[in-house]
Amino acid sequence: MKLLVCGGAGFIGSAFVRVRLAAGDEVVVLDKLTYAGRRENLQDLEIEFVHGAIEDPDAVARAIAGCEAVVNFAAETHVDRSIAEPDAFVRTHAQGTYVLLEAVRSAGVRYVQVSTDEVYGSIEEGSFTESSPLAPSSPYSATKAGADLLVAGYVHTYGLEACICRGSNNYGPRQYPEKLIPLMILNALHGDPLPVYGDGKNVRNWIHAEDFARAIDTVLLKGTPGEVYNAGGPDELENLDVVTRILELTGQDESLIRYVTDRKGHDRRYSLSSDKVRSLGWEPNWLFAEGLPATVDWYRDNEWWWEPIRSGEYRQYYEQQYGLKLG
Ligand code: NAD
Ligand code: DAU
């Protein structure tokens, strides 16, 4: 099929493009190329690339022409940035999703909205299911929840053939080093301090990006329109446990850990039940015990990918966010 992937130059979108190219699809990528979107993520892949924003109706019209389905990854994705400057989050998630839905409605094609476990908020015990109430707690998760509700409204009102797929915390190659795992790996490889928020006991439910991409693929091909599907990884870990494993894998020790001021409104624990997407035949392939060492190796072997980031404007972002210098 001919498929439009919005936000396909990002971390998970580019993993998904690989899955669909391997299945024989013709892929069009529409991407604004924000700081997190990179042509390097699509290097050597045969795709049609449209540079533009999902909130721009002309760019969307150009990109969607002839496509039989649309999968939307395009988003501002870092919680800390949403706390510092929420405006781009509102624009992309609210206006952008609206413009895409209108284009999908007039093209009459299938649609998958990629979403997050953060729309459910924090959970002390047990796991969220698809019928758990939405209780977002940051500008990031609130605007993602708003986009999900808009999709649901279009399904109900216009009969749009749309599904939503909500993932837990992803890790793997090509993740921008503002997120916990790549940030800690690159800092450890450089002997820089590892900034841990609060007491380091917040829990995240880790899924490899290849597994999340395969879950979205399953929802695209087999999901029932109007339904939501959660895709959580097999492992839940406290942040300190993740950081300690990265120190071991990089040959560093705990003297690099720095406890820093906690994130405002920091969710304590995320956990997703994935029974519903499993019932469509999906299973995760990666355990964290194997995926984390493979991810550390990828960053160690791919300096060409991260060096331009780490030597560019990321340095100012990092120093302002943490009040720490990068070596
Ligand atoms: P990312 O930040 O790596 O990539 C986002 C991509 O979207 C980039 O290529 C960026 O250029 C593009 N983009 C941003 N705004 C755009 C706009 N207005 N128009 C067109 N393109 C735009 O993000 P990611 O981690 O790959 O996340 C992809 C999706 O998965 C997001 O919707 C996110 O909410 C969701 N998600 C992420 C995770 C995670 O742990 N990273 C977990 C669950 C769900
Ligand atoms: O749960 C899915 C979500 O996971 C996605 O929807 C988001 O796009 C993605 O960014 C991610 O959000 P988190 O806020 O959970 O991820 P982050 O990597 O920013 O942080 C993971 C945990 O690590 C969190 O408890 C905060 C903590 N942390 C993070 C950073 C960047 C630190 O202790 N120090 C840090 O420097």
Side-chain angles (χ1 to χ4, degrees):
M1 91 176 118
K2 186 172 179 189
L3 181 66
L4 172 59
V5 181
C6 303
F11 163 50
I12 309 168
S14 62
F16 178 76
V17 168
R18 285 177 173 78
V19 170
R20 289 313 311 167
L21 287 177
D25 272 1
E26 198 182 325
V27 175
V28 180
V29 169
L30 171 66
D31 200 294
K32 191 176 178 177
L33 296 179
T34 66
Y35 72 94
R38 303 181 74 211
R39 288 303 306 260
E40 290 91 326
N41 292 343
L42 298 166
Q43 203 175 49
D44 301 330
L45 302 182
E46 260 192 52
I47 52 132
E48 181 185 335
F49 187 80
V50 178
H51 184 196
I54 57 168
E55 61 271 24
D56 174 356
D58 295 336
V60 170
R62 263 186 290 130
I64 204 172
C67 290
E68 293 146 82
V70 177
V71 182
N72 181 27
F73 292 84
E76 294 289 337
T77 60
H78 194 40
V79 173
D80 293 326
R81 291 187 195 250
S82 85
I83 293 166
E85 282 180 71
D87 53 348
F89 291 73
V90 176
R91 191 175 321 116
T92 293
H93 304 169
Q95 184 71 13
T97 305
Y98 157 71
V99 169
L100 265 188
L101 289 172
E102 278 297 314
V104 165
R105 179 157 87 97
S106 66
V109 298
R110 197 168 165 84
Y111 180 82
V112 177
Q113 174 77 359
V114 179
S115 186
T116 169
D117 58 2
E118 297 198 15
V119 298
Y120 299 117
S122 188
I123 188 165
E124 287 291 318
E125 284 175 6
S127 300
F128 288 119
T129 70
E130 290 78 359
S131 50
S132 299
L134 301 188
S137 40
S138 69
Y140 165 69
S141 53
T143 50
K144 289 294 289 184
D148 287 8
L149 291 175
L150 198 56
V151 173
Y154 269 65
V155 170
H156 186 80
T157 307
Y158 305 113
L160 211 77
E161 259 197 61
C163 291
I164 297 171
C165 187
R166 297 184 177 137
S168 62
N169 279 67
N170 279 235
Y171 70 100
R174 302 179 194 84
Q175 187 171 29
Y176 194 83
E178 64 193 349
K179 308 284 174 20
L180 180 76
I181 289 184
L183 185 151
M184 297 297 174
I185 292 173
L186 292 184
N187 281 20
L189 289 174
H190 288 82
D192 285 332
L194 307 193
V196 172
Y197 295 161
D199 62 5
K201 292 190 183 301
N202 300 66
V203 173
R204 294 295 183 264
N205 179 189
W206 293 100
I207 184 170
H208 195 285
E210 285 171 16
D211 283 336
F212 187 38
R214 288 176 38 259
I216 295 161
D217 189 50
T218 303
V219 170
L220 172 68
L221 300 179
K222 299 185 189 165
T224 303
E227 295 292 317
V228 175
Y229 296 88
N230 291 340
D235 297 279
E236 285 186 21
L237 288 98
E238 289 184 354
N239 293 338
L240 260 185
D241 195 2
V242 174
V243 168
T244 307
R245 289 187 194 202
I246 290 171
L247 288 169
E248 284 162 12
L249 289 164
T250 52
Q252 298 284 12
D253 66 53
E254 293 184 5
S255 63
L256 283 185
I257 295 177
R258 290 287 181 286
Y259 289 95
V260 298
T261 310
D262 205 354
R263 174 183 282 173
K264 284 192 179 78
H266 196 173
D267 284 337
R268 193 62 171 172
R269 175 171 173 263
Y270 299 139
S271 178
L272 277 186
S273 156
S274 310
D275 291 348
K276 193 170 168 184
V277 71
R278 281 176 195 267
S279 76
L280 298 182
W282 173 84
E283 286 291 334
N285 288 336
W286 286 94
L287 287 175
F288 199 68
E290 289 141 17
L292 186 66
T295 302
V296 170
D297 287 347
W298 189 87
Y299 281 93
R300 196 186 270 120
D301 296 344
N302 287 282
E303 185 173 344
W304 71 271
W305 185 90
W306 52 256
E307 199 283 329
I309 297 174
R310 224 176 177 259
S311 60
E313 66 174 1
Y314 173 77
R315 294 184 86 80
Q316 285 91 61
Y317 160 78
Y318 182 89
E319 289 172 15
Q320 197 174 339
Q321 173 69 23
Y322 296 98
L324 294 168
K325 293 263 179 223
L326 284 176

